Amino acid sequence: MDKASNDAEGVKFYNRDEKKGVWMRYSQMLLPTRKETPAEAEVISHRLMFRAGLIRKVAAGIYTYLPLGLRTIRKVEAIVREEMNAAGAQEVLMPMVQPADLWVESGRWEFYGKELLRLKDRNNRDYCLGPTHEEVITDLVRREIRSYRDLPLNLYQIQGKFRDEVRPRFGVMRAREFIMKDAYSFDRDDASAEVSYQAMYKAYTRIFERCGLRFKAVEADSGSIGGSHSHEFMVLAETGEDVILSCNRCTYAANTEKAVSLLPETGEPHKGGAVVPTMEKVYTPGKKRVRDVADFLKVEEKRLIKTLLFETDQGFVAGLIRGDLELNPIKLKNLLGVNFIVMASDEEVKRLTKADVGFAGPIGLPIPVIADPSVMSLHDAVCGANETDYHLIHVKPERDFEVSQVADIRQARAGEICSRCGKGTLESFRGIEVGHVFKLGTKYSEAMGATFLDETGKERFIIMGCYGIGIERTVAAAIEQSHDEDGIVFHESIAPFSIEIVPVQMKDERVVGFSNKLYGALTQKGLEVLLDDREVRPGVKFKDADLIGIPLRAVVGRKFKEEGLVEIKSRETGKVEEVLADEVVEILESKVSHD
Ligand code: ATP
Ligand code: MG
């Protein structure tokens, strides 16, 4: 033990007593706090992570983590690692640079789109920076796994990803380079895969609880990763990019990309089986929008059929939805099993309908038509005539037109009735997706030939699952949820330090001497302590302490000199306790819970 280092004028920056790190004296640490915020910082977590000296931008969506930021990231990683290990997963480390061949095999080289950053080596071979690792891990497993005896298996890593996001923003929350924990499970059958999925679901719940987050696990769309079934872990925050619908009576909760609700009533007058008059074409000059057509024809919007045209990688398709409702293109995309879907351009709409935009209808369209059930339950409806300035009235689905498929492609909305319990109302929340668990089935094992031999010697495809957590996004989401006007309020489990010691008068030998002693004693106990030994005004120290948000602050100042008392302040509650200098180590130690 290097005793000298705890003395007032002792070794300043290399201290072997400081068991858990060596840069804990503020004066020696790169901890540049700022008053101003970058112009592009739209959300509070981005502003605070910059101001508190956690991150600095290198390029759009690419950041350097300064010591304080890295310590927090390491805390989250440690929690993730512990829970993954506890759930039986084994850590590996895969490369960031991945050969294109594997992506060609899985079929994603063509379809992943521009988020995949592609590069060539000196021999002109294609590579990409890994946005995710299904290909690399499936390649590993197909080589190493032979028999059912080798299964189940769960492998994970905590590693840098690159996604060339269209719109990197919100600091590290939607970055281009970021750290992900990604895990992959391999099972022999669906029952075993379900057990693996549930184990990850539970581990995620533990992880986000330990990080001190308020979150909800919701049913989700599977996106470009593919697969059949998934849950997202959403941190509830106003600034979240995702919208969640959740039932106020039962446990149902889903991303709006996926959510379903009971079909809102049409209120269409019940005609008691009355015969719907023959379909008729009417002149509706310049009436293109649902509301204008409804007003002009004096019918309710819910009696209209909206016809929306989309372009996909497998051609054009039309979607039908009732006039007062919205079509959900992600549901349509999943239904069709296509890789991309966009609204058809005005030119394409004109070409396909032979009419101006605004007059499309299902009758006579030369492309597949998918109808939402809301449309098929109409009796006497209005739709576009595929002729400029004309609509059709008295349209009866099935009698007057057929569709390729009827399926739920409706966007569920807040206020609608829950389809699971049939009683509750859906409420909407905004959320930040911090984790995602997927059942992949055999998507990758079939594409890449990852098989095992079962008990009977039969070769079968491995059932896979994959599970991601955004490490920095978790930190940012935590700050989004826990801050005040003065700065970050770190939850103890992910705080870069547990305790900050603030000696107020740096010229006073007793204050400085005691602060150093306290610092030495606490670090020797294995606690993570930041000592603000800078020669600056107390106001500056207090402001910075509030900004960086260390959970406990021990102030050694006037009270110490006059009465031998140290002030312990909680960053979260603002509560101050005055304790005897002799007892401060013990009291602080007891306050830092050992999670
Ligand atoms: P999003 O819909 O937000 O783009 P995703 O569905 O593409 O996310 P996944 O592929 O499921 O994300 O990745 C797993 C986790 O990685 C996400 O839950 C999220 O926490 C994190 N993540 C994804 N994209 C980013 C990003 N651009 N920056 C930071 N973290 C990210
Ligand atoms: Mg994404």
Side-chain angles (χ1 to χ4, degrees), residues 206-226:
R206 282 277 303 151
I207 288 166
F208 297 123
E209 276 171 6
R210 283 183 61 184
C211 291
L213 295 163
R214 290 190 306 282
F215 65 97
K216 233 183 204 331
V218 309
E219 291 180 15
D221 174 55
S222 295
S224 61
I225 306 276

mmCIF file of all heavy atoms in Angstrom, residues 206-226:
data_model
loop_
_atom_site.group_PDB
_atom_site.id
_atom_site.type_symbol
_atom_site.label_atom_id
_atom_site.label_comp_id
_atom_site.label_asym_id
_atom_site.label_seq_id
_atom_site.Cartn_x
_atom_site.Cartn_y
_atom_site.Cartn_z
ATOM 1 N N ARG A 206 -34.800 -8.156 -15.366
ATOM 2 C CA ARG A 206 -33.866 -7.941 -14.252
ATOM 3 C C ARG A 206 -32.892 -6.806 -14.572
ATOM 4 O O ARG A 206 -32.613 -5.943 -13.757
ATOM 5 C CB ARG A 206 -33.036 -9.222 -14.011
ATOM 6 C CG ARG A 206 -33.752 -10.311 -13.275
ATOM 7 C CD ARG A 206 -33.715 -10.113 -11.779
ATOM 8 N NE ARG A 206 -32.341 -10.017 -11.230
ATOM 9 C CZ ARG A 206 -32.039 -9.335 -10.149
ATOM 10 N NH1 ARG A 206 -32.959 -8.661 -9.499
ATOM 11 N NH2 ARG A 206 -30.799 -9.316 -9.708
ATOM 12 N N ILE A 207 -32.348 -6.834 -15.786
ATOM 13 C CA ILE A 207 -31.345 -5.834 -16.185
ATOM 14 C C ILE A 207 -31.934 -4.429 -16.072
ATOM 15 O O ILE A 207 -31.344 -3.547 -15.448
ATOM 16 C CB ILE A 207 -30.858 -6.100 -17.632
ATOM 17 C CG1 ILE A 207 -29.971 -7.344 -17.667
ATOM 18 C CG2 ILE A 207 -30.118 -4.879 -18.203
ATOM 19 C CD1 ILE A 207 -29.703 -7.903 -19.064
ATOM 20 N N PHE A 208 -33.115 -4.224 -16.659
ATOM 21 C CA PHE A 208 -33.654 -2.860 -16.672
ATOM 22 C C PHE A 208 -34.155 -2.449 -15.294
ATOM 23 O O PHE A 208 -34.097 -1.270 -14.945
ATOM 24 C CB PHE A 208 -34.710 -2.713 -17.771
ATOM 25 C CG PHE A 208 -34.114 -2.922 -19.148
ATOM 26 C CD1 PHE A 208 -34.604 -3.877 -20.010
ATOM 27 C CD2 PHE A 208 -33.014 -2.171 -19.547
ATOM 28 C CE1 PHE A 208 -34.027 -4.077 -21.263
ATOM 29 C CE2 PHE A 208 -32.425 -2.366 -20.798
ATOM 30 C CZ PHE A 208 -32.928 -3.319 -21.654
ATOM 31 N N GLU A 209 -34.594 -3.424 -14.508
ATOM 32 C CA GLU A 209 -34.936 -3.093 -13.119
ATOM 33 C C GLU A 209 -33.689 -2.637 -12.377
ATOM 34 O O GLU A 209 -33.698 -1.639 -11.669
ATOM 35 C CB GLU A 209 -35.524 -4.316 -12.397
ATOM 36 C CG GLU A 209 -37.004 -4.503 -12.646
ATOM 37 C CD GLU A 209 -37.524 -5.831 -12.108
ATOM 38 O OE1 GLU A 209 -36.745 -6.579 -11.430
ATOM 39 O OE2 GLU A 209 -38.683 -6.129 -12.382
ATOM 40 N N ARG A 210 -32.621 -3.384 -12.533
ATOM 41 C CA ARG A 210 -31.378 -3.035 -11.825
ATOM 42 C C ARG A 210 -30.834 -1.680 -12.265
ATOM 43 O O ARG A 210 -30.169 -1.001 -11.493
ATOM 44 C CB ARG A 210 -30.317 -4.127 -12.049
ATOM 45 C CG ARG A 210 -30.579 -5.364 -11.202
ATOM 46 C CD ARG A 210 -29.484 -6.401 -11.383
ATOM 47 N NE ARG A 210 -28.166 -5.930 -10.985
ATOM 48 C CZ ARG A 210 -27.042 -6.629 -11.127
ATOM 49 N NH1 ARG A 210 -27.097 -7.843 -11.650
ATOM 50 N NH2 ARG A 210 -25.885 -6.141 -10.738
ATOM 51 N N CYS A 211 -31.094 -1.308 -13.516
ATOM 52 C CA CYS A 211 -30.651 0.014 -13.990
ATOM 53 C C CYS A 211 -31.552 1.129 -13.458
ATOM 54 O O CYS A 211 -31.307 2.307 -13.717
ATOM 55 C CB CYS A 211 -30.618 0.064 -15.510
ATOM 56 S SG CYS A 211 -29.325 -0.958 -16.231
ATOM 57 N N GLY A 212 -32.595 0.759 -12.736
ATOM 58 C CA GLY A 212 -33.467 1.762 -12.128
ATOM 59 C C GLY A 212 -34.436 2.402 -13.111
ATOM 60 O O GLY A 212 -34.862 3.535 -12.900
ATOM 61 N N LEU A 213 -34.792 1.684 -14.170
ATOM 62 C CA LEU A 213 -35.641 2.269 -15.207
ATOM 63 C C LEU A 213 -37.116 1.935 -15.018
ATOM 64 O O LEU A 213 -37.460 0.871 -14.515
ATOM 65 C CB LEU A 213 -35.190 1.753 -16.576
ATOM 66 C CG LEU A 213 -33.782 2.189 -16.977
ATOM 67 C CD1 LEU A 213 -33.253 1.333 -18.114
ATOM 68 C CD2 LEU A 213 -33.791 3.655 -17.375
ATOM 69 N N ARG A 214 -37.985 2.857 -15.436
ATOM 70 C CA ARG A 214 -39.412 2.541 -15.542
ATOM 71 C C ARG A 214 -39.640 2.115 -16.987
ATOM 72 O O ARG A 214 -39.416 2.884 -17.912
ATOM 73 C CB ARG A 214 -40.273 3.781 -15.249
ATOM 74 C CG ARG A 214 -40.236 4.214 -13.792
ATOM 75 C CD ARG A 214 -41.284 5.290 -13.527
ATOM 76 N NE ARG A 214 -41.168 6.427 -14.438
ATOM 77 C CZ ARG A 214 -40.276 7.398 -14.330
ATOM 78 N NH1 ARG A 214 -39.393 7.382 -13.344
ATOM 79 N NH2 ARG A 214 -40.244 8.388 -15.209
ATOM 80 N N PHE A 215 -40.056 0.859 -17.171
ATOM 81 C CA PHE A 215 -40.132 0.333 -18.532
ATOM 82 C C PHE A 215 -41.314 -0.610 -18.681
ATOM 83 O O PHE A 215 -41.935 -0.999 -17.694
ATOM 84 C CB PHE A 215 -38.831 -0.399 -18.883
ATOM 85 C CG PHE A 215 -38.612 -1.633 -18.044
ATOM 86 C CD1 PHE A 215 -38.972 -2.880 -18.517
ATOM 87 C CD2 PHE A 215 -38.060 -1.545 -16.773
ATOM 88 C CE1 PHE A 215 -38.799 -4.028 -17.741
ATOM 89 C CE2 PHE A 215 -37.887 -2.681 -15.986
ATOM 90 C CZ PHE A 215 -38.249 -3.920 -16.474
ATOM 91 N N LYS A 216 -41.592 -0.945 -19.912
ATOM 92 C CA LYS A 216 -42.673 -1.870 -20.225
ATOM 93 C C LYS A 216 -42.170 -2.783 -21.337
ATOM 94 O O LYS A 216 -41.525 -2.313 -22.267
ATOM 95 C CB LYS A 216 -43.838 -1.059 -20.791
ATOM 96 C CG LYS A 216 -45.161 -1.288 -20.116
ATOM 97 C CD LYS A 216 -46.210 -0.462 -20.851
ATOM 98 C CE LYS A 216 -47.421 -0.104 -20.072
ATOM 99 N NZ LYS A 216 -47.961 -0.862 -19.033
ATOM 100 N N ALA A 217 -42.482 -4.067 -21.233
ATOM 101 C CA ALA A 217 -42.173 -4.982 -22.344
ATOM 102 C C ALA A 217 -43.413 -5.030 -23.215
ATOM 103 O O ALA A 217 -44.513 -5.249 -22.723
ATOM 104 C CB ALA A 217 -41.843 -6.363 -21.814
ATOM 105 N N VAL A 218 -43.249 -4.783 -24.508
ATOM 106 C CA VAL A 218 -44.416 -4.715 -25.382
ATOM 107 C C VAL A 218 -44.240 -5.625 -26.601
ATOM 108 O O VAL A 218 -43.119 -5.869 -27.042
ATOM 109 C CB VAL A 218 -44.680 -3.265 -25.862
ATOM 110 C CG1 VAL A 218 -44.724 -2.307 -24.685
ATOM 111 C CG2 VAL A 218 -43.644 -2.790 -26.874
ATOM 112 N N GLU A 219 -45.339 -6.096 -27.142
ATOM 113 C CA GLU A 219 -45.277 -6.899 -28.371
ATOM 114 C C GLU A 219 -44.815 -5.992 -29.507
ATOM 115 O O GLU A 219 -45.214 -4.836 -29.579
ATOM 116 C CB GLU A 219 -46.658 -7.463 -28.718
ATOM 117 C CG GLU A 219 -47.110 -8.515 -27.736
ATOM 118 C CD GLU A 219 -48.479 -9.067 -28.087
ATOM 119 O OE1 GLU A 219 -48.955 -8.851 -29.221
ATOM 120 O OE2 GLU A 219 -49.072 -9.706 -27.209
ATOM 121 N N ALA A 220 -43.978 -6.549 -30.369
ATOM 122 C CA ALA A 220 -43.355 -5.678 -31.362
ATOM 123 C C ALA A 220 -43.253 -6.316 -32.725
ATOM 124 O O ALA A 220 -43.314 -7.533 -32.873
ATOM 125 C CB ALA A 220 -41.964 -5.300 -30.865
ATOM 126 N N ASP A 221 -43.029 -5.458 -33.684
ATOM 127 C CA ASP A 221 -42.756 -5.883 -35.045
ATOM 128 C C ASP A 221 -41.308 -6.373 -35.090
ATOM 129 O O ASP A 221 -40.465 -5.915 -34.336
ATOM 130 C CB ASP A 221 -42.936 -4.677 -35.968
ATOM 131 C CG ASP A 221 -42.536 -4.994 -37.385
ATOM 132 O OD1 ASP A 221 -43.077 -5.957 -37.932
ATOM 133 O OD2 ASP A 221 -41.676 -4.289 -37.920
ATOM 134 N N SER A 222 -41.002 -7.298 -36.005
ATOM 135 C CA SER A 222 -39.666 -7.878 -35.999
ATOM 136 C C SER A 222 -38.645 -7.161 -36.882
ATOM 137 O O SER A 222 -37.466 -7.478 -36.854
ATOM 138 C CB SER A 222 -39.730 -9.355 -36.356
ATOM 139 O OG SER A 222 -40.434 -10.029 -35.342
ATOM 140 N N GLY A 223 -39.079 -6.201 -37.679
ATOM 141 C CA GLY A 223 -38.151 -5.391 -38.472
ATOM 142 C C GLY A 223 -37.279 -6.211 -39.413
ATOM 143 O O GLY A 223 -37.644 -7.313 -39.821
ATOM 144 N N SER A 224 -36.099 -5.668 -39.728
ATOM 145 C CA SER A 224 -35.257 -6.310 -40.737
ATOM 146 C C SER A 224 -34.511 -7.530 -40.201
ATOM 147 O O SER A 224 -33.849 -8.236 -40.940
ATOM 148 C CB SER A 224 -34.252 -5.310 -41.293
ATOM 149 O OG SER A 224 -33.442 -4.855 -40.245
ATOM 150 N N ILE A 225 -34.607 -7.781 -38.893
ATOM 151 C CA ILE A 225 -33.962 -8.969 -38.338
ATOM 152 C C ILE A 225 -34.776 -10.200 -38.756
ATOM 153 O O ILE A 225 -34.264 -11.281 -38.929
ATOM 154 C CB ILE A 225 -33.889 -8.891 -36.795
ATOM 155 C CG1 ILE A 225 -33.224 -7.590 -36.343
ATOM 156 C CG2 ILE A 225 -33.237 -10.112 -36.187
ATOM 157 C CD1 ILE A 225 -31.741 -7.555 -36.288
ATOM 158 N N GLY A 226 -36.078 -10.013 -38.897
ATOM 159 C CA GLY A 226 -36.938 -11.109 -39.328
ATOM 160 C C GLY A 226 -37.469 -11.902 -38.156
ATOM 161 O O GLY A 226 -37.343 -11.494 -37.010
#
